[in-house]
Amino acid sequence: MTHRNPEDNALRGAPEPRTLAEACDLVTTPDLDVSADGMFGQYGGAHLPPQLAGPMAEVARAYAEARQDPEFYAEYRRLLRDAVGRPSPLTPLDRLSDELGGARIVLKREDLNHTGAHKINHTIGEALLAKRMGKRSLIAETGAGQHGVALATAAAMVGLDCEIHMGAIDVAKQHPNVVRMRLLGTKVVSVEREGRSLKEAVDSAFEVYAANPEKYLFAIGSVVGPHPFPTMIRDFQSVVGREARAQFQERFGALPSAVVAAVGGGSNAMGAFTAFLDDADVALVGVEPGGRSATKGEHAMTMTQGRDGVLHGMATLVLADDDGTPDPVHSIASGLDYPGVGPQHAHFASVGRVRYVAEDDAAVLDAFQRLTRLEGVIPALESAHAVAHAIRLAPQMGRDARILVNLSGRGDKDVDYVAEKLGLTGEADEVVR
């Protein structure tokens, strides 16, 4: 298959860095294409009510200027290096790979970033942009709490206020992250409407932002929403793939056979995929939540069961009724229970560059346990979707193949929830008197 039309800017990848040091220096310099209207083929754009059209156009203008400003990127790179701890390392999974047979699995360790996930890569960029624009506060949604903690941290770094809206179900599931956000000085708003999950949190935060755009920058947590956010978050997250590409070549003398990442909104996957788009021999696989079953409301398989629609200011694939009302969704991972997906992912599916699959809750729990017990790495449940598919894929590939898995976050936030699911207690296995 020819994966890339040379004239299709939406599939353009990043220039190839020669060394890891060069990859880290590049980070997100303005070399990725940006369309004036934020379109990726037929998807994207800015479908907004009049009260939001002006504020979003202001953000687009400010980002267009910032991405051409070397001083903006110099400060961004400094914070990624000094505060986040980039570059994040690669970790070969020797014991798990030996047990599976077939391809070797290698992790890109975004879980080792400060705050424990890939989200800090773009929240620092958003915080710097907000300060550049003279905003006083950041406002956003969060599902698993990873974006919320990362944004709260970035706000504290640069001296801004922060307000996070979170579905009530996720507030209960992700109590440790709620506490972290409040400790960082962030206001946490629990959203009790309808499904009480990520979609409702987005709706609630957008309403507050629309009422006072002079005060806030809406810091969207994924490659979703109206232009320029799908482009902007992609750009900030592209550091993941740039580093991984250089690290893989430096360590193994070759590129991975496949790159696998979880897809909810799609930011960690976009970050991992972008550097490999021009490499036709590198398979790109996005893994979405199969949930409890394929029944409506029991999963969040937007890529495989969604239809064209408009959601949160973007044209994309949506799980929705005939009248466009978004479906209820479910995932064991709070950060993936979203009825839409980033528009560039919808475009990748339409042209066949990325293959999208699903893993159900049972496979994800199994992957969570196997990675923890065999390799001493506790993954976020979101990331465990990608691990689950790598476990399925590795035995089907030859022993000279390597699968790169973007481990987008660590599982500290999920330990209590998983323990409850597995019937584990906090009691000791043995008592000595």
PDB file of all heavy atoms in Angstrom, residues 96-127:
ATOM      1  N   LEU A  96       8.798 -10.277  29.259  1.00  0.00           N
ATOM      2  CA  LEU A  96       7.503 -10.414  28.605  1.00  0.00           C
ATOM      3  C   LEU A  96       7.668 -10.913  27.172  1.00  0.00           C
ATOM      4  O   LEU A  96       6.933 -11.793  26.716  1.00  0.00           O
ATOM      5  CB  LEU A  96       6.759  -9.081  28.612  1.00  0.00           C
ATOM      6  CG  LEU A  96       5.375  -9.062  27.948  1.00  0.00           C
ATOM      7  CD1 LEU A  96       4.431 -10.052  28.618  1.00  0.00           C
ATOM      8  CD2 LEU A  96       4.783  -7.656  27.976  1.00  0.00           C
ATOM      9  N   SER A  97       8.653 -10.379  26.455  1.00  0.00           N
ATOM     10  CA  SER A  97       8.885 -10.806  25.072  1.00  0.00           C
ATOM     11  C   SER A  97       9.290 -12.265  25.006  1.00  0.00           C
ATOM     12  O   SER A  97       8.847 -13.007  24.114  1.00  0.00           O
ATOM     13  CB  SER A  97       9.972  -9.921  24.425  1.00  0.00           C
ATOM     14  OG  SER A  97       9.566  -8.568  24.378  1.00  0.00           O
ATOM     15  N   ASP A  98      10.128 -12.701  25.948  1.00  0.00           N
ATOM     16  CA  ASP A  98      10.530 -14.112  25.973  1.00  0.00           C
ATOM     17  C   ASP A  98       9.321 -15.015  26.209  1.00  0.00           C
ATOM     18  O   ASP A  98       9.198 -16.094  25.608  1.00  0.00           O
ATOM     19  CB  ASP A  98      11.559 -14.351  27.086  1.00  0.00           C
ATOM     20  CG  ASP A  98      12.927 -13.772  26.751  1.00  0.00           C
ATOM     21  OD1 ASP A  98      13.165 -13.451  25.565  1.00  0.00           O
ATOM     22  OD2 ASP A  98      13.753 -13.630  27.674  1.00  0.00           O
ATOM     23  N   GLU A  99       8.429 -14.600  27.075  1.00  0.00           N
ATOM     24  CA  GLU A  99       7.242 -15.411  27.381  1.00  0.00           C
ATOM     25  C   GLU A  99       6.319 -15.512  26.170  1.00  0.00           C
ATOM     26  O   GLU A  99       5.725 -16.561  25.910  1.00  0.00           O
ATOM     27  CB  GLU A  99       6.488 -14.801  28.558  1.00  0.00           C
ATOM     28  CG  GLU A  99       5.258 -15.589  28.973  1.00  0.00           C
ATOM     29  CD  GLU A  99       4.551 -14.973  30.162  1.00  0.00           C
ATOM     30  OE1 GLU A  99       4.956 -15.250  31.313  1.00  0.00           O
ATOM     31  OE2 GLU A  99       3.576 -14.225  29.940  1.00  0.00           O
ATOM     32  N   LEU A 100       6.201 -14.425  25.414  1.00  0.00           N
ATOM     33  CA  LEU A 100       5.283 -14.389  24.277  1.00  0.00           C
ATOM     34  C   LEU A 100       5.844 -15.082  23.042  1.00  0.00           C
ATOM     35  O   LEU A 100       5.111 -15.668  22.256  1.00  0.00           O
ATOM     36  CB  LEU A 100       4.950 -12.934  23.922  1.00  0.00           C
ATOM     37  CG  LEU A 100       4.162 -12.142  24.965  1.00  0.00           C
ATOM     38  CD1 LEU A 100       4.127 -10.669  24.573  1.00  0.00           C
ATOM     39  CD2 LEU A 100       2.744 -12.696  25.083  1.00  0.00           C
ATOM     40  N   GLY A 101       7.177 -14.995  22.851  1.00  0.00           N
ATOM     41  CA  GLY A 101       7.764 -15.436  21.595  1.00  0.00           C
ATOM     42  C   GLY A 101       7.487 -14.401  20.515  1.00  0.00           C
ATOM     43  O   GLY A 101       6.683 -13.486  20.693  1.00  0.00           O
ATOM     44  N   GLY A 102       8.155 -14.519  19.401  1.00  0.00           N
ATOM     45  CA  GLY A 102       7.915 -13.575  18.317  1.00  0.00           C
ATOM     46  C   GLY A 102       8.645 -12.266  18.523  1.00  0.00           C
ATOM     47  O   GLY A 102       9.790 -12.233  18.988  1.00  0.00           O
ATOM     48  N   ALA A 103       7.980 -11.158  18.180  1.00  0.00           N
ATOM     49  CA  ALA A 103       8.617  -9.835  18.188  1.00  0.00           C
ATOM     50  C   ALA A 103       9.018  -9.409  19.587  1.00  0.00           C
ATOM     51  O   ALA A 103       8.410  -9.825  20.587  1.00  0.00           O
ATOM     52  CB  ALA A 103       7.670  -8.814  17.572  1.00  0.00           C
ATOM     53  N   ARG A 104      10.025  -8.555  19.642  1.00  0.00           N
ATOM     54  CA  ARG A 104      10.454  -7.947  20.897  1.00  0.00           C
ATOM     55  C   ARG A 104       9.648  -6.678  21.123  1.00  0.00           C
ATOM     56  O   ARG A 104       9.433  -5.890  20.205  1.00  0.00           O
ATOM     57  CB  ARG A 104      11.944  -7.605  20.868  1.00  0.00           C
ATOM     58  CG  ARG A 104      12.839  -8.714  20.373  1.00  0.00           C
ATOM     59  CD  ARG A 104      12.707  -9.982  21.197  1.00  0.00           C
ATOM     60  NE  ARG A 104      13.237  -9.832  22.549  1.00  0.00           N
ATOM     61  CZ  ARG A 104      13.239 -10.799  23.456  1.00  0.00           C
ATOM     62  NH1 ARG A 104      12.701 -11.993  23.160  1.00  0.00           N
ATOM     63  NH2 ARG A 104      13.741 -10.586  24.661  1.00  0.00           N
ATOM     64  N   ILE A 105       9.202  -6.465  22.353  1.00  0.00           N
ATOM     65  CA  ILE A 105       8.408  -5.287  22.698  1.00  0.00           C
ATOM     66  C   ILE A 105       9.302  -4.293  23.443  1.00  0.00           C
ATOM     67  O   ILE A 105      10.046  -4.660  24.351  1.00  0.00           O
ATOM     68  CB  ILE A 105       7.199  -5.665  23.564  1.00  0.00           C
ATOM     69  CG1 ILE A 105       6.309  -6.661  22.826  1.00  0.00           C
ATOM     70  CG2 ILE A 105       6.396  -4.413  23.941  1.00  0.00           C
ATOM     71  CD1 ILE A 105       5.167  -7.202  23.671  1.00  0.00           C
ATOM     72  N   VAL A 106       9.213  -3.039  23.040  1.00  0.00           N
ATOM     73  CA  VAL A 106      10.007  -1.961  23.635  1.00  0.00           C
ATOM     74  C   VAL A 106       9.057  -0.833  24.024  1.00  0.00           C
ATOM     75  O   VAL A 106       8.206  -0.419  23.227  1.00  0.00           O
ATOM     76  CB  VAL A 106      11.064  -1.428  22.646  1.00  0.00           C
ATOM     77  CG1 VAL A 106      11.890  -0.314  23.287  1.00  0.00           C
ATOM     78  CG2 VAL A 106      11.975  -2.552  22.166  1.00  0.00           C
ATOM     79  N   LEU A 107       9.192  -0.319  25.255  1.00  0.00           N
ATOM     80  CA  LEU A 107       8.359   0.774  25.725  1.00  0.00           C
ATOM     81  C   LEU A 107       9.037   2.123  25.537  1.00  0.00           C
ATOM     82  O   LEU A 107      10.234   2.258  25.778  1.00  0.00           O
ATOM     83  CB  LEU A 107       8.044   0.627  27.222  1.00  0.00           C
ATOM     84  CG  LEU A 107       7.291  -0.609  27.694  1.00  0.00           C
ATOM     85  CD1 LEU A 107       7.064  -0.507  29.203  1.00  0.00           C
ATOM     86  CD2 LEU A 107       5.971  -0.778  26.960  1.00  0.00           C
ATOM     87  N   LYS A 108       8.266   3.127  25.129  1.00  0.00           N
ATOM     88  CA  LYS A 108       8.676   4.525  25.244  1.00  0.00           C
ATOM     89  C   LYS A 108       8.071   5.029  26.539  1.00  0.00           C
ATOM     90  O   LYS A 108       6.851   5.053  26.706  1.00  0.00           O
ATOM     91  CB  LYS A 108       8.170   5.328  24.040  1.00  0.00           C
ATOM     92  CG  LYS A 108       8.441   6.840  24.131  1.00  0.00           C
ATOM     93  CD  LYS A 108       9.920   7.161  24.151  1.00  0.00           C
ATOM     94  CE  LYS A 108      10.118   8.690  24.030  1.00  0.00           C
ATOM     95  NZ  LYS A 108      11.495   9.084  24.398  1.00  0.00           N
ATOM     96  N   ARG A 109       8.917   5.442  27.496  1.00  0.00           N
ATOM     97  CA  ARG A 109       8.519   5.598  28.878  1.00  0.00           C
ATOM     98  C   ARG A 109       8.014   7.007  29.219  1.00  0.00           C
ATOM     99  O   ARG A 109       8.602   7.717  30.045  1.00  0.00           O
ATOM    100  CB  ARG A 109       9.676   5.203  29.791  1.00  0.00           C
ATOM    101  CG  ARG A 109      10.142   3.750  29.660  1.00  0.00           C
ATOM    102  CD  ARG A 109       9.070   2.769  30.084  1.00  0.00           C
ATOM    103  NE  ARG A 109       8.645   2.962  31.452  1.00  0.00           N
ATOM    104  CZ  ARG A 109       9.298   2.486  32.513  1.00  0.00           C
ATOM    105  NH1 ARG A 109      10.396   1.746  32.335  1.00  0.00           N
ATOM    106  NH2 ARG A 109       8.850   2.693  33.729  1.00  0.00           N
ATOM    107  N   GLU A 110       6.876   7.378  28.660  1.00  0.00           N
ATOM    108  CA  GLU A 110       6.264   8.654  29.026  1.00  0.00           C
ATOM    109  C   GLU A 110       5.747   8.630  30.463  1.00  0.00           C
ATOM    110  O   GLU A 110       5.496   9.683  31.054  1.00  0.00           O
ATOM    111  CB  GLU A 110       5.137   9.002  28.057  1.00  0.00           C
ATOM    112  CG  GLU A 110       5.610   9.316  26.657  1.00  0.00           C
ATOM    113  CD  GLU A 110       6.558  10.503  26.619  1.00  0.00           C
ATOM    114  OE1 GLU A 110       6.093  11.642  26.769  1.00  0.00           O
ATOM    115  OE2 GLU A 110       7.779  10.272  26.444  1.00  0.00           O
ATOM    116  N   ASP A 111       5.604   7.429  31.032  1.00  0.00           N
ATOM    117  CA  ASP A 111       5.197   7.322  32.436  1.00  0.00           C
ATOM    118  C   ASP A 111       6.244   7.863  33.391  1.00  0.00           C
ATOM    119  O   ASP A 111       5.945   8.156  34.554  1.00  0.00           O
ATOM    120  CB  ASP A 111       4.886   5.865  32.786  1.00  0.00           C
ATOM    121  CG  ASP A 111       6.093   4.945  32.601  1.00  0.00           C
ATOM    122  OD1 ASP A 111       6.741   5.018  31.532  1.00  0.00           O
ATOM    123  OD2 ASP A 111       6.389   4.150  33.513  1.00  0.00           O
ATOM    124  N   LEU A 112       7.490   8.020  32.921  1.00  0.00           N
ATOM    125  CA  LEU A 112       8.562   8.523  33.775  1.00  0.00           C
ATOM    126  C   LEU A 112       8.684  10.039  33.744  1.00  0.00           C
ATOM    127  O   LEU A 112       9.517  10.615  34.443  1.00  0.00           O
ATOM    128  CB  LEU A 112       9.894   7.878  33.379  1.00  0.00           C
ATOM    129  CG  LEU A 112       9.956   6.357  33.564  1.00  0.00           C
ATOM    130  CD1 LEU A 112      11.323   5.824  33.164  1.00  0.00           C
ATOM    131  CD2 LEU A 112       9.631   5.966  35.001  1.00  0.00           C
ATOM    132  N   ASN A 113       7.868  10.704  32.945  1.00  0.00           N
ATOM    133  CA  ASN A 113       7.848  12.166  32.963  1.00  0.00           C
ATOM    134  C   ASN A 113       7.373  12.680  34.316  1.00  0.00           C
ATOM    135  O   ASN A 113       6.605  12.018  35.013  1.00  0.00           O
ATOM    136  CB  ASN A 113       6.866  12.712  31.908  1.00  0.00           C
ATOM    137  CG  ASN A 113       7.307  12.439  30.490  1.00  0.00           C
ATOM    138  OD1 ASN A 113       8.479  12.168  30.229  1.00  0.00           O
ATOM    139  ND2 ASN A 113       6.362  12.522  29.567  1.00  0.00           N
ATOM    140  N   HIS A 114       7.782  13.904  34.667  1.00  0.00           N
ATOM    141  CA  HIS A 114       7.192  14.578  35.819  1.00  0.00           C
ATOM    142  C   HIS A 114       5.682  14.644  35.618  1.00  0.00           C
ATOM    143  O   HIS A 114       5.211  14.973  34.527  1.00  0.00           O
ATOM    144  CB  HIS A 114       7.777  15.986  35.938  1.00  0.00           C
ATOM    145  CG  HIS A 114       7.235  16.783  37.069  1.00  0.00           C
ATOM    146  ND1 HIS A 114       7.108  16.280  38.340  1.00  0.00           N
ATOM    147  CD2 HIS A 114       6.768  18.066  37.130  1.00  0.00           C
ATOM    148  CE1 HIS A 114       6.610  17.195  39.137  1.00  0.00           C
ATOM    149  NE2 HIS A 114       6.388  18.296  38.425  1.00  0.00           N
ATOM    150  N   THR A 115       4.932  14.305  36.624  1.00  0.00           N
ATOM    151  CA  THR A 115       3.468  14.163  36.685  1.00  0.00           C
ATOM    152  C   THR A 115       2.994  12.829  36.143  1.00  0.00           C
ATOM    153  O   THR A 115       1.809  12.511  36.231  1.00  0.00           O
ATOM    154  CB  THR A 115       2.678  15.305  35.985  1.00  0.00           C
ATOM    155  OG1 THR A 115       2.789  15.196  34.573  1.00  0.00           O
ATOM    156  CG2 THR A 115       3.134  16.667  36.453  1.00  0.00           C
ATOM    157  N   GLY A 116       3.864  12.001  35.574  1.00  0.00           N
ATOM    158  CA  GLY A 116       3.518  10.615  35.309  1.00  0.00           C
ATOM    159  C   GLY A 116       2.861  10.284  34.000  1.00  0.00           C
ATOM    160  O   GLY A 116       2.343   9.178  33.843  1.00  0.00           O
ATOM    161  N   ALA A 117       2.868  11.198  33.018  1.00  0.00           N
ATOM    162  CA  ALA A 117       2.224  10.902  31.740  1.00  0.00           C
ATOM    163  C   ALA A 117       2.729  11.850  30.661  1.00  0.00           C
ATOM    164  O   ALA A 117       3.464  12.810  30.929  1.00  0.00           O
ATOM    165  CB  ALA A 117       0.706  10.999  31.858  1.00  0.00           C
ATOM    166  N   HIS A 118       2.277  11.585  29.426  1.00  0.00           N
ATOM    167  CA  HIS A 118       2.653  12.428  28.288  1.00  0.00           C
ATOM    168  C   HIS A 118       1.993  13.802  28.338  1.00  0.00           C
ATOM    169  O   HIS A 118       2.452  14.726  27.662  1.00  0.00           O
ATOM    170  CB  HIS A 118       2.241  11.734  26.981  1.00  0.00           C
ATOM    171  CG  HIS A 118       0.764  11.683  26.765  1.00  0.00           C
ATOM    172  ND1 HIS A 118      -0.087  10.931  27.557  1.00  0.00           N
ATOM    173  CD2 HIS A 118      -0.031  12.309  25.860  1.00  0.00           C
ATOM    174  CE1 HIS A 118      -1.324  11.086  27.142  1.00  0.00           C
ATOM    175  NE2 HIS A 118      -1.328  11.916  26.116  1.00  0.00           N
ATOM    176  N   LYS A 119       0.958  13.970  29.118  1.00  0.00           N
ATOM    177  CA  LYS A 119       0.168  15.203  29.096  1.00  0.00           C
ATOM    178  C   LYS A 119       0.999  16.449  29.392  1.00  0.00           C
ATOM    179  O   LYS A 119       0.699  17.538  28.895  1.00  0.00           O
ATOM    180  CB  LYS A 119      -0.986  15.110  30.095  1.00  0.00           C
ATOM    181  CG  LYS A 119      -1.999  14.014  29.805  1.00  0.00           C
ATOM    182  CD  LYS A 119      -2.843  14.313  28.596  1.00  0.00           C
ATOM    183  CE  LYS A 119      -3.973  13.310  28.436  1.00  0.00           C
ATOM    184  NZ  LYS A 119      -4.850  13.607  27.273  1.00  0.00           N
ATOM    185  N   ILE A 120       2.041  16.326  30.194  1.00  0.00           N
ATOM    186  CA  ILE A 120       2.855  17.486  30.548  1.00  0.00           C
ATOM    187  C   ILE A 120       3.515  18.101  29.322  1.00  0.00           C
ATOM    188  O   ILE A 120       3.809  19.298  29.296  1.00  0.00           O
ATOM    189  CB  ILE A 120       3.917  17.093  31.612  1.00  0.00           C
ATOM    190  CG1 ILE A 120       4.567  18.317  32.244  1.00  0.00           C
ATOM    191  CG2 ILE A 120       4.957  16.155  31.027  1.00  0.00           C
ATOM    192  CD1 ILE A 120       3.650  19.111  33.151  1.00  0.00           C
ATOM    193  N   ASN A 121       3.720  17.304  28.259  1.00  0.00           N
ATOM    194  CA  ASN A 121       4.364  17.832  27.050  1.00  0.00           C
ATOM    195  C   ASN A 121       3.563  18.971  26.435  1.00  0.00           C
ATOM    196  O   ASN A 121       4.133  19.949  25.954  1.00  0.00           O
ATOM    197  CB  ASN A 121       4.531  16.726  26.000  1.00  0.00           C
ATOM    198  CG  ASN A 121       5.377  15.574  26.483  1.00  0.00           C
ATOM    199  OD1 ASN A 121       6.305  15.754  27.255  1.00  0.00           O
ATOM    200  ND2 ASN A 121       5.046  14.372  26.020  1.00  0.00           N
ATOM    201  N   HIS A 122       2.234  18.827  26.402  1.00  0.00           N
ATOM    202  CA  HIS A 122       1.452  19.897  25.788  1.00  0.00           C
ATOM    203  C   HIS A 122       0.934  20.918  26.793  1.00  0.00           C
ATOM    204  O   HIS A 122       0.702  22.073  26.425  1.00  0.00           O
ATOM    205  CB  HIS A 122       0.297  19.339  24.939  1.00  0.00           C
ATOM    206  CG  HIS A 122      -0.795  18.663  25.694  1.00  0.00           C
ATOM    207  ND1 HIS A 122      -1.017  17.310  25.619  1.00  0.00           N
ATOM    208  CD2 HIS A 122      -1.762  19.151  26.508  1.00  0.00           C
ATOM    209  CE1 HIS A 122      -2.055  16.994  26.367  1.00  0.00           C
ATOM    210  NE2 HIS A 122      -2.525  18.082  26.918  1.00  0.00           N
ATOM    211  N   THR A 123       0.770  20.545  28.054  1.00  0.00           N
ATOM    212  CA  THR A 123       0.258  21.535  28.996  1.00  0.00           C
ATOM    213  C   THR A 123       1.266  22.648  29.247  1.00  0.00           C
ATOM    214  O   THR A 123       0.877  23.809  29.448  1.00  0.00           O
ATOM    215  CB  THR A 123      -0.157  20.896  30.338  1.00  0.00           C
ATOM    216  OG1 THR A 123       0.955  20.230  30.932  1.00  0.00           O
ATOM    217  CG2 THR A 123      -1.304  19.912  30.136  1.00  0.00           C
ATOM    218  N   ILE A 124       2.551  22.321  29.225  1.00  0.00           N
ATOM    219  CA  ILE A 124       3.558  23.379  29.358  1.00  0.00           C
ATOM    220  C   ILE A 124       3.461  24.343  28.179  1.00  0.00           C
ATOM    221  O   ILE A 124       3.519  25.565  28.345  1.00  0.00           O
ATOM    222  CB  ILE A 124       4.967  22.774  29.462  1.00  0.00           C
ATOM    223  CG1 ILE A 124       5.155  22.141  30.851  1.00  0.00           C
ATOM    224  CG2 ILE A 124       6.048  23.827  29.214  1.00  0.00           C
ATOM    225  CD1 ILE A 124       6.481  21.458  31.045  1.00  0.00           C
ATOM    226  N   GLY A 125       3.284  23.793  26.975  1.00  0.00           N
ATOM    227  CA  GLY A 125       3.125  24.657  25.810  1.00  0.00           C
ATOM    228  C   GLY A 125       1.901  25.540  25.918  1.00  0.00           C
ATOM    229  O   GLY A 125       1.931  26.742  25.602  1.00  0.00           O
ATOM    230  N   GLU A 126       0.770  24.968  26.379  1.00  0.00           N
ATOM    231  CA  GLU A 126      -0.454  25.752  26.525  1.00  0.00           C
ATOM    232  C   GLU A 126      -0.297  26.833  27.588  1.00  0.00           C
ATOM    233  O   GLU A 126      -0.781  27.963  27.422  1.00  0.00           O
ATOM    234  CB  GLU A 126      -1.616  24.822  26.870  1.00  0.00           C
ATOM    235  CG  GLU A 126      -2.053  23.938  25.714  1.00  0.00           C
ATOM    236  CD  GLU A 126      -3.108  22.928  26.108  1.00  0.00           C
ATOM    237  OE1 GLU A 126      -2.942  22.251  27.132  1.00  0.00           O
ATOM    238  OE2 GLU A 126      -4.112  22.818  25.371  1.00  0.00           O
ATOM    239  N   ALA A 127       0.380  26.503  28.694  1.00  0.00           N
ATOM    240  CA  ALA A 127       0.577  27.488  29.758  1.00  0.00           C
ATOM    241  C   ALA A 127       1.440  28.651  29.266  1.00  0.00           C
ATOM    242  O   ALA A 127       1.150  29.819  29.562  1.00  0.00           O
ATOM    243  CB  ALA A 127       1.218  26.823  30.971  1.00  0.00           C
TER     244      ALA A 127
END
